[in-house]
Each structure stands twice: as structure tokens, then as C-alpha cells.
Amino acid sequence: MLALLLAGCDRRGPDGEQVNPREKIIIKFSHVVADDTPKGQAARRFARLVEERTGGRVEVQVFPNSTLYKDGEELDALMDGRVQMIAPSTSKLGSLAPQWQLLDLPYLFESEEEVHRVLDGEIGRKLFATLEGYNIHTLAFWDNGFKQMTNSKRPLVYPEDFRGLTFRVMINSRVLEEQFRLLGASAVQLPFNDVYQALAGGQVDGQENTMSNIYSQRFYQVQPYLTVSNHGFIGYVVLTNAGFWQSLPPDVRRVIEEAMAEVTAWEREQAAHLNEENFKQVKESGQVKIHVQTAEEKARWKEALAPLYQKFRGMPGGELLDEVLKAKRAL
């Protein structure tokens, strides 16, 4: 028994020496979604890899479901060093750099492959650069997936079906607010952890989200109408505090970067799998009437939302839109 206890306490670094608790590096990783979502699973996998590969020298403590910081709080917490790592959706970064709202444009991407090819290249690097002045170092893009529409009132088939309804949108995105205005609906910004109660209590009629979030947050239980529209993509950006990052020893930074690259590839595959699996579970629940958008209906939605593209071109960073469209044509 004594041998087992000693073995359990033997936290050693890569060089075989025991890790001094006073020298241990703690990374608090805060996020706002559930543990069983793509981001939640990836955060836990990343934490495990980093601890294993540093022999316990680095401990990544993951705080899911807004248990540490909520939407609207985590960016400030990261910049002033109260937390070392977050992975907000790209929409949340609009408060720092409006260029990020580019990724909220409806029907900008047709597939995950398009998203990855565009954001893993020069356009992604330009977006990363917009955060450098805010004490933020960017580590990776993670997938959530394509958004679907849900609501409690009626099927959403054509743009006119949105008239008079109220939808929750993510904070800090003028583009998402304008999207619903063009459809004849109104938009209310709400932190993610408040969405279920707002839907259940009738403060808003509907929302847009990925299937993994619709399932894990039980939105489908209070939203009887779902339209599979794939009208927008939600991605995450894994961020760390720049001052903290520079304070890390080079070998630790290297382990984090290597683990992050490995987890990012895994997370993207997992996101696609989970969204597919969760869609099946929502369908089998029998609680939701599901409409799958046709090509003709998609064309009607795109026509109604087209003015949003021109409006974005007049915003700061609007020139990135034409770069994305050019990059897509080159694929």
C-alpha cells in the first residue's frame, strides 16, 4: 500500500525529476458550453495531453458551462490575467475587432472544408493580427459547426415566416442583429448560459445554433420547430493571455503548440461527428418538427439577406469579404 501511495504522489517532469508544487504551471481554461460538446471534449483532451507530456509540470484546469466566467466576462478576464485560456466563438471578438463579424455573414461558407481552407491561410492570419494589441495570443481555430434555426411558434420555410418573431443572438455582433432585421424579426443579445431560460420562459421565440448546442443545452425540448438551414458557421478561437504566454519556458510553449495542433485536428472531426449524432438524437426524441431547407428555399433566404453583404463592406475590415470570396473561388 505504501508503494502504491508513493507511486501516486510521484509527479515527475520530462527529465525524471519530481515536480515541485511551487514550480507547477497552472492554466485555467474557461469556456461557456457543456463538457459533451466539441469544445468541451477538446478542452479536456488538450488538458490531458499537456499534463502527460510535461509530466505534471503543467496542469490545465478546465471550467465548462460558464462556471468560471460567462459570455461578456471571459475576454476581460483573459486580457487582465484572471484566466489563461478561453475559446470564444468568433462573434464574441467583434467587440475588440469588427473584422471578426465577417464570419457571421449568412451563407458565407458551404462546407467545413471551405472554412478550414480559408481560415487556416492568410485570411486567418490577418484576423489573428487584429487581436495582438489586446494582450492576446491566438493558438487555433476550432469548429462548432453550421447553424440551424429553431423557434417555438411555427415552421421557418421562407423569409416571411420570420416576421414578428424575436431571436436570441450572440453578443457583440451587429451582423447577426441585421440578419434577423432583414428577415423581419427582432434580435436580442443574450449570454449563452441565459438562452435556455429565455426560450423556456418565452422572453425570445427562437435562436440559431449548431446541433451539438441545441442538443446538449436541451433547446430542442422548448423549441418545437427546427429548420436545417446550415446558414452560418460557428467557429471558436483558442486564445491565451499574451503576457502569460511569453512568460512560459520555450519547451512548455512547444508542448502546448504541439498538443494544440493535434487536438485541433481531432476536434474538427469530432465536431462533425457530434453534430450528426445529436441531430439524430433530436429527431428520435419526437419533440421537434424538422424541416430540411430545399435549394429553392435557400435561394429565397440568400436573396433576402444579400443586402447584409453590401453593408458589411462599409464596416471596418469590410475589405476582407472580397478576399474570402476570392479565396473560395480558388478552391
Side-chain angles (χ1 to χ4, degrees), residues 194-258:
D194 292 340
V195 177
Y196 178 84
Q197 289 302 324
L199 295 172
Q203 283 89 5
V204 294
D205 300 312
Q207 60 87 51
E208 55 175 4
N209 233 302
T210 61
M211 287 308 309
S212 62
N213 282 342
I214 290 169
Y215 181 76
S216 67
Q217 297 295 320
R218 300 179 294 119
F219 295 161
Y220 71 97
Q221 295 179 1
V222 291
Q223 296 275 273
Y225 300 101
L226 183 150
T227 298
V228 179
S229 52
N230 294 317
H231 64 279
F233 189 82
I234 299 181
Y236 300 124
V237 193
V238 187
L239 308 172
T240 186
N241 177 281
F244 171 76
W245 179 253
Q246 291 302 320
S247 74
L248 294 174
D251 62 319
V252 170
R253 291 203 299 265
R254 184 169 61 252
V255 169
I256 290 174
E257 288 173 338
E258 290 172 355

Side-chain angles (χ1 to χ4, degrees), residues 163-203:
R163 288 176 187 162
L165 300 182
T166 303
F167 285 80
R168 175 265 176 175
V169 295
M170 290 185 279
I171 61 175
N172 300 332
S173 178
R174 289 168 51 199
V175 167
L176 293 180
E177 290 182 331
E178 182 67 8
Q179 169 186 273
F180 284 104
R181 190 191 70 77
L182 287 169
L183 292 170
S186 56
V188 176
Q189 292 189 12
L190 287 175
F192 187 71
N193 60 298
D194 292 340
V195 177
Y196 178 84
Q197 289 302 324
L199 295 172
Q203 283 89 5

Side-chain angles (χ1 to χ4, degrees), residues 30 43 51 53 82 115 137 148 191 195 198 205 222 246 297:
S30 173
E51 185 161 8
R53 293 176 184 181
R82 285 175 285 143
V115 174
H137 177 73
Q148 322 303 340
V195 177
D205 300 312
V222 291
Q246 291 302 320
E297 292 159 5

